[in-house]
Amino acid sequence: MSTKRKVFDYESPLAPLIKRLVQEKRASGYKYDTPARVLWDLDRFLCGTTVEPDELPKPTVMQWLAQNPQEKASTQQRRIILVRQLAQLMTRLGYSAYLPPKGMGPRRSYVFSSRILTHAEVRRIMQAVDALPPSPKSPHRHIILPEVFRLLYGCGFRLSEVLNLKNQDVDLTQGVITVRQGKFAKDRLVPPAVDMVERLRNYDEQLEKRALASREPDAYFFPSARQAAWACSTIYHLFRKVLLQCGIPHGGRGKGPRVHDLRHTFAVHRLLRWYEDGADLNAKLPFLVAYLGHKDFTGTQKYLHLTAELFPNLTARMNEQFGGVIPAGR
């Protein structure tokens, strides 16, 4: 299934090289959508300079990188990385280009600060979502959103993965959901629990009986009132209102609970369930890596650290039973 990408019209003297960089990255399997937009910003900046088609001098690079001194560290690091990638391409092709050194710019913070919800909080959230009434702008949200939120928690999906599901991606006969072009441009198969599959069958029947949405294979499985994908911002806003209704405090912008914390909560609750069932966590972890669509074990190990922080009384017992399954802290 092809995904329509925004095409940027690069016009600076370095436009051919920028286009080549984008093409090479996408040919290597990267989505490269946000980088393509940032490179468009660079391209527009270069249009106002005297840069030549075969050079990328240091003063020009430093001038562009210094444009937004108030930006987040992660944003500035992204711009530095993209300039470095362009410079590496130019150098490889024999052009003169300033290569920003590694370590340049502010350090990014990689603190894993998720808000893991309790089982009781998850139940309250689901009850509140189940009780959502229709609204003028979303007349069918009371049918759609309970299933969206259950997939977020019940399968640990990323929000964009759920909202972008098409009918052809949800096999209700086999009970398998296909996530296409998820993070790291990976496809994966996710089998929800049997009761979740049954809920989705009932949901699908409701939509078909009421003729609320197209059942064509390439139509959205969770359609908005305009038969498009729901906007992530709409779900974020609604989630904040649900938290308030449930009496669950929110720490403010950039803190939790966030919609994405339902994914983190799924992972921690699953690890705890496996431990309580006496399962071998060393054998189970590869399944969690694949289920969540992680690139490798690094992301999943964060949940082991988080489990240890939340339930320190379990750490010694888990390591005794499963042979040091929780890695040493960094």
Side-chain angles (χ1 to χ4, degrees):
M1 181 178 63
S2 62
T3 307
K4 188 174 181 180
R5 287 190 171 110
K6 180 176 175 57
V7 178
F8 293 98
D9 188 13
Y10 303 111
E11 300 177 343
S12 74
L14 296 184
L17 293 167
I18 294 175
K19 290 177 184 177
R20 177 164 177 169
L21 174 61
V22 173
Q23 290 168 354
E24 285 189 2
K25 291 296 183 180
R26 286 178 173 169
S28 300
Y30 295 97
K31 284 186 177 180
Y32 220 66
D33 292 338
T34 299
R37 178 190 57 76
V38 177
L39 287 170
W40 182 63
D41 290 336
L42 172 60
D43 183 80
R44 288 191 300 171
F45 168 78
L46 292 174
C47 286
T49 69
T50 58
V51 67
E52 296 293 331
D54 59 351
E55 66 172 10
L56 184 60
K58 180 177 179 179
T60 303
V61 170
M62 299 306 293
Q63 187 180 354
W64 185 65
L65 292 178
Q67 273 194 314
N68 302 306
Q70 302 303 319
E71 66 190 352
K72 293 181 180 178
S74 59
T75 303
Q76 191 167 39
Q77 276 296 328
R78 181 187 293 122
R79 296 203 296 133
I80 293 171
I81 290 169
L82 291 176
V83 170
R84 186 182 298 122
Q85 290 177 356
L86 178 60
Q88 287 172 335
L89 170 65
M90 293 180 66
T91 301
R92 192 178 83 225
L93 296 175
Y95 297 116
S96 172
Y98 171 68
L99 192 68
K102 290 186 177 181
M104 179 181 177
R107 288 181 174 271
R108 294 180 62 175
S109 173
Y110 292 95
V111 177
F112 191 71
S113 56
S114 299
R115 164 69 156 84
I116 302 303
L117 298 155
T118 66
H119 287 90
E121 288 174 331
V122 171
R123 283 194 295 271
R124 278 152 52 197
I125 288 171
M126 296 305 168
Q127 289 168 359
V129 174
D130 287 346
L132 283 172
S135 73
K137 290 186 178 180
S138 305
H140 312 308
R141 70 177 189 174
H142 61 297
I143 300 173
I144 295 171
L145 294 184
E147 312 316 320
V148 168
F149 275 88
R150 278 175 173 81
L151 282 177
L152 294 174
Y153 170 68
C155 297
F157 283 118
R158 301 175 180 93
L159 179 58
S160 61
E161 293 173 345
V162 173
L163 300 185
N164 288 321
L165 286 174
K166 302 291 183 68
N167 290 327
Q168 63 191 1
D169 302 329
V170 185
D171 186 341
L172 298 177
T173 302
Q174 299 296 323
V176 175
I177 294 175
T178 302
V179 176
R180 303 184 192 274
Q181 292 294 295
K183 195 172 183 180
F184 310 115
K186 291 172 61 177
D187 293 355
R188 73 181 189 278
L189 301 178
V190 179
V194 174
D195 59 342
M196 185 71 239
V197 175
E198 189 58 35
R199 285 190 64 100
L200 293 177
R201 286 178 184 147
N202 293 334
Y203 159 82
D204 194 57
E205 289 173 3
Q206 282 192 69
L207 262 62
E208 188 168 6
K209 286 179 181 178
R210 302 186 189 194
L212 298 179
S214 168
R215 309 322 293 152
E216 292 295 320
D218 61 348
Y220 286 101
F221 189 73
F222 296 116
S224 68
R226 298 181 292 105
Q227 300 301 306
W230 282 69
C232 289
S233 58
T234 300
I235 305 298
Y236 294 153
H237 181 69
L238 183 95
F239 185 62
R240 291 285 292 270
K241 296 177 78 171
V242 166
L243 290 177
L244 181 62
Q245 182 180 338
C246 294
I248 300 174
H250 190 278
R253 184 174 179 83
K255 301 180 182 177
R258 304 159 297 181
V259 174
H260 198 65
D261 287 332
L262 290 170
R263 172 177 165 87
H264 300 323
T265 298
F266 159 79
V268 170
H269 285 184
R270 174 45 54 190
L271 286 169
L272 287 174
R273 178 68 178 271
W274 281 336
Y275 166 73
E276 291 165 355
D277 290 345
D280 184 345
L281 294 189
N282 285 305
K284 288 288 190 180
L285 278 178
F287 292 101
L288 189 59
V289 171
Y291 202 83
L292 291 170
H294 281 163
K295 193 174 183 180
D296 50 39
F297 278 90
T298 306
T300 310
Q301 284 178 335
K302 292 177 181 178
Y303 295 125
L304 288 169
H305 286 294
L306 191 54
T307 303
E309 291 173 7
L310 292 172
F311 306 95
N313 59 312
L314 297 182
T315 305
R317 284 192 291 155
M318 290 174 77
N319 281 336
E320 180 180 349
Q321 184 173 350
F322 302 117
V325 69
I326 298 180
R330 289 174 297 177

